[in-house]
């Protein structure tokens, strides 16, 4: 099963309070120059993208794997689970 098909088996209850944020946009620019933004490469759900020199975080797509927090070389991601009952859930099962 391809990753896109697996992602389709999830549903998401949006938490209005973002559970992902970056601490410092300047560090994101530096990370992009020095390391090529590993968060963008590792995220299976395309949560991160650069738009006009800013790292945009589409947290509502997150599948809560935790990989981005681990690979960030500057520990620049604030990561917590969505509030109780919100976030991802399996659609089947
Ligand atoms: Fe992407 Fe996983 Fe980080 Fe969520 S926790 S933003 S799915 S890498």
């Amino acid at each position: 099963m391809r990753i896109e098909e697996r992602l389709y088996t999830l549903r998401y209850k949006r938490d209005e309070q973002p559970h992902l944020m970056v601490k410092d946009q300047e560090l994101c620019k530096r990370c992009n120059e020095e390391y090529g933004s590993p968060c963008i490469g590792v995220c299976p759900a395309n949560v991160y993208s650069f738009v006009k020199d800013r790292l945009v975080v589409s947290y509502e797509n997150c599948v809560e794997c935790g990989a981005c927090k681990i690979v960030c070389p500057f520990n620049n991601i604030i990561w917590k689970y969505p509030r109780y009952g919100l976030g991802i859930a399996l659609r089947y099962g």
Side-chain angles (χ1 to χ4, degrees):
M1 184 182 276
R2 295 179 330 169
I3 188 72
E4 292 82 6
E5 293 167 330
R6 287 184 186 269
L7 289 173
Y8 188 69
T9 65
L10 303 173
R11 65 183 170 80
Y12 193 89
K13 287 186 185 172
R14 182 186 170 113
D15 188 349
E16 297 303 322
Q17 294 179 16
H19 70 285
L20 296 174
M21 286 176 278
V22 294
K23 297 174 188 170
D24 182 348
Q25 284 287 341
E26 289 303 313
L27 269 181
C28 289
K29 282 201 292 192
R30 184 173 152 205
C31 179
N32 183 255
E33 291 164 7
E34 294 181 16
Y35 299 101
S37 297
C39 61
I40 293 174
V42 77
C43 179
N46 295 325
V47 166
Y48 299 98
S49 57
F50 259 102
V51 178
K52 296 181 181 171
D53 277 350
R54 287 187 62 84
L55 189 70
V56 175
V57 183
S58 303
Y59 74 92
E60 59 279 347
N61 296 337
C62 174
V63 297
E64 301 165 24
C65 71
C68 56
K69 181 170 175 53
I70 293 169
V71 299
C72 179
F74 296 105
N75 192 24
N76 195 30
I77 296 173
I78 298 171
W79 198 107
K80 58 187 177 184
Y81 285 106
R83 290 177 298 164
Y84 182 77
L86 301 172
I88 62 161
L90 292 174
R91 188 177 297 186
Y92 308 109

